[in-house]
Amino acid sequence: MAEPAQAATGIRISSGRLVEANGTELVLRGINHAHVWYQQQTSSFANIKATGANSVRVVLGSGQRGWGTSPASDVANVISLCKQNRLICVLEVHDTTGYGEQSGAATLAQAVDYWISVQSALTGQENYVILNIGNEPFGNQGYAAWTTDTANAIRRLRSAGFQHTIMVDAPNWGQDWTFTMRDNAPTVYAADTTGNTIFSIHMYGVFDTSAEVSAYLSSFTSRGLPIVVGEFGNNHSDGNPDEDAIMSYAQANRIGYLGWSWSGNGGGVEYLDMVLNFNPATRSEWGTRFIAGANGIAATSREASIYGGTGTPDTQAPTTPGTPTASNVTSTGANLAWTASTDNVGVSGYTVVRVQGSTETTVTSTATNSAALTGLTPSTAYTFAVYARDAAGNRSTRSGTVNVTTPAGGGGGNNGCTATYRIAGSWSGNFQGEVTVTNGTTASTGWTVTWTYANGQTITQMWSGQDTPSGASHSVRNVNYNGNLGPNASTMFGFLGTWNNTTNSVPTLSCTRS
């Protein structure tokens, strides 16, 4: 296929492949994130990056559906979060989903109106942003209009001055079982005067065999047409997609893929959450497969060169974590914290092991340099250590060991309750923290958690708790709806804070109840 006379200024298409402005090939390895429905989950960008992903596809709203409009200020913030976390940002309007079949869905023309309305946030970001015009823009009715409507949308965006690579989704709820996108792709591609359009297929129940996967993707690559798998999962209400074939074929043929989705699914497809309740330490079966399995993110993703990535495999292991320290030891649990490891690309998480002579048993995994251990046996001596790992699967040498002996009984000297502190996410100068309060063996009507920061951290906002600060110390009481706890019941409060970007150590917590 001939190269266009005019090239885009940033990410672009070259010889049927997605490349960066400097010509380095860009194979998307990313995760979808439902931002418009969960706008407070900004730590998800850092957590997605920690999996090794090089990109994130972000759900936005154009105003036609019940989830509202994503204004230019929000778009700018999303792009900033992508850039802070060294992710290529694929932005998509979700309101077009199922047009012609789903009531209230937006047209592609309305999606273009939206993109023009937020153009100020997008101009100059061509090295970092791909513009996905509209998610699954036709259902299983009226899809014959896909070719004309998509071509017209591309022309309008180019006429308005957009120079970004444009991504277009297939009709039929993204799965193109009618082959409308496949057969009309050359016509749509020709509508882009810059030649910088990439096609996106969503693979769910329609693509339940390896033959179907390879036949569809090869129909594009054999014609020099760029293609990406914009969504897929390991299961779906319409059938069982062959995720192994999708990931294997994509890796072998340098085709990008973005799995659906990080967290927050409902409507009977909760199994598509990669992590539970946006907690990176609790991966689902699908998340474990997608992130750490064969041809998954950790093994195949390469950071974009605009962020300093080289495109070559990462073989360097993280540095050895610090020797863990123990706190809040009870008869059945303990908190561990350690000095974080460093890595040439980035530490993706830690594994805590129990050491018994020459034998090691995995106890838990965590995305941060702390862990809450549960299910321990009373009156038992334990030895724990920690390994760090990066997104490519490289593992550090083992940390020093810490000895922990659980007491008999249930209270463990914590006045009938325990509290566990977790850093849920951090970004430039800021972080999000969570504290889980667990009651003892009898009911209580209130609780108080206290701690003192050692590294100058401050708390700027808190929810589900009432903070009484005194310098570096904090005393947090329950609010009216989470003070009454039954035996062994738990609740959680969270907060936003600032840190010095150097050290954000986990403090020792004390918990009392009433």
Side-chain angles (χ1 to χ4, degrees):
M1 182 170 292
E3 291 294 302
Q6 177 186 356
T9 58
I11 299 170
R12 56 192 172 86
I13 304 299
S14 176
S15 301
R17 298 286 179 178
L18 191 67
V19 302
E20 297 183 71
N22 63 6
T24 301
E25 187 171 359
L26 176 61
V27 180
L28 297 177
R29 289 286 180 265
I31 296 174
N32 284 267
H33 173 48
H35 167 75
V36 73
W37 305 314
Y38 300 99
Q39 296 181 40
Q40 300 306 312
Q41 295 293 342
T42 53
S43 61
S44 294
F45 290 85
N47 294 333
I48 287 172
K49 176 63 179 182
T51 69
N54 64 13
S55 51
V56 58
R57 183 170 178 259
V58 183
V59 177
L60 302 176
S62 57
Q64 286 72 38
R65 306 292 279 270
W67 47 76
T69 306
S70 302
S73 58
D74 185 44
V75 175
N77 185 54
V78 165
I79 295 172
S80 177
L81 287 166
C82 287
K83 292 168 71 174
Q84 288 173 29
N85 292 288
R86 307 192 310 279
L87 292 164
I88 296 299
C89 219
V90 181
L91 302 179
E92 61 104 335
V93 160
H94 215 74
D95 301 55
T96 56
T97 305
Y99 175 75
E101 184 174 350
Q102 190 168 84
S103 176
T107 65
L108 280 171
Q110 288 173 310
V112 174
D113 291 340
Y114 167 76
W115 290 119
I116 292 173
S117 76
V118 298
Q119 189 170 5
S120 61
L122 295 160
T123 301
Q125 303 301 324
E126 294 85 357
N127 283 319
Y128 307 95
V129 173
I130 295 172
L131 196 159
N132 192 174
I133 303 178
N135 183 69
E136 300 177 1
F138 286 88
N140 293 323
Q141 299 175 22
Y143 53 81
W146 177 88
T147 303
T148 298
D149 288 3
T150 303
N152 286 340
I154 293 170
R155 294 188 186 101
R156 282 188 62 203
L157 288 170
R158 294 303 185 210
S159 295
F162 285 88
Q163 296 182 320
H164 307 73
T165 289
I166 292 172
M167 184 180 290
V168 296
D169 280 10
N172 311 129
W173 299 94
Q175 297 202 75
D176 201 29
W177 61 267
T178 61
F179 297 134
T180 301
M181 184 172 81
R182 184 196 69 178
D183 295 344
N184 294 282
T187 299
V188 170
Y189 191 84
D192 186 352
T193 55
T194 73
N196 290 295
T197 293
I198 187 169
F199 298 91
S200 174
I201 183 68
H202 294 182
M203 290 186 161
Y204 293 107
V206 170
F207 295 91
D208 57 358
T209 69
S210 176
E212 289 167 325
V213 171
S214 60
Y216 192 89
L217 295 176
S218 66
S219 73
F220 281 78
T221 56
S222 65
R223 292 178 290 169
L225 292 167
I227 183 76
V228 64
V229 183
E231 288 184 21
F232 71 105
N234 66 334
N235 196 8
H236 204 257
S237 53
D238 67 346
N240 185 9
D242 191 340
E243 71 278 6
D244 292 340
I246 294 168
M247 298 168 77
S248 174
Y249 189 90
Q251 176 61 16
N253 292 276
R254 310 195 325 273
I255 295 171
Y257 65 64
L258 301 107
W260 186 276
S261 71
W262 183 242
S263 198
N265 286 285
V269 294
E270 290 82 358
Y271 47 78
L272 288 175
D273 283 0
M274 294 186 185
V275 300
L276 307 183
N277 299 316
F278 291 94
N279 182 356
T282 56
R283 288 180 185 171
S284 67
E285 178 184 358
W286 168 224
T288 299
R289 166 67 190 96
F290 181 82
I291 296 167
N295 300 301
I297 289 283
T300 68
S301 178
R302 302 290 176 261
E303 187 175 80
S305 67
I306 193 71
Y307 297 121
T310 63
T312 58
D314 175 20
T315 58
Q316 182 174 323
T319 59
T320 305
T323 300
T325 58
S327 62
N328 291 344
V329 179
T330 70
S331 60
T332 59
N335 293 345
L336 299 183
W338 54 89
T339 302
S341 299
T342 60
D343 186 67
N344 62 316
V345 175
V347 176
S348 62
Y350 300 87
T351 301
V352 178
V353 296
R354 181 184 183 185
V355 181
Q356 295 173 287
S358 60
T359 301
E360 293 180 358
T361 305
T362 298
V363 177
T364 189
S365 294
T366 175
T368 63
N369 59 320
S370 64
L373 309 186
T374 60
L376 304 184
T377 302
S379 302
T380 302
Y382 291 88
T383 300
F384 297 112
V386 181
Y387 290 95
R389 61 184 185 277
D390 64 17
N394 300 308
R395 192 174 77 158
S396 72
T397 54
R398 195 178 78 187
S399 74
T401 59
V402 60
N403 295 320
V404 174
T405 300
T406 55
N414 284 284
N415 299 315
C417 63
T418 59
T420 303
Y421 182 107
R422 187 177 78 87
I423 299 172
S426 61
W427 55 101
S428 180
N430 298 273
F431 73 101
Q432 179 178 332
E434 294 176 353
V435 174
T436 299
V437 179
T438 303
N439 195 21
T441 56
T442 59
S444 66
T445 59
W447 47 261
T448 302
V449 178
T450 59
W451 71 88
T452 300
Y453 281 125
N455 312 118
Q457 301 97 320
T458 64
I459 292 177
T460 58
Q461 180 182 346
M462 180 172 288
W463 53 94
S464 300
Q466 297 176 322
D467 185 26
T468 303
S470 177
S473 298
H474 293 267
S475 178
V476 181
R477 289 184 54 81
N478 59 277
V479 291
N480 58 7
Y481 56 80
N482 64 359
N484 291 310
L485 295 179
N488 303 310
S490 296
T491 188
M492 185 182 74
F493 64 89
F495 55 89
L496 298 178
T498 65
W499 66 301
N500 59 17
N501 283 323
T502 300
T503 305
N504 191 9
S505 61
V506 173
T508 299
L509 273 57
S510 175
C511 182
T512 59
R513 68 178 192 177
S514 56

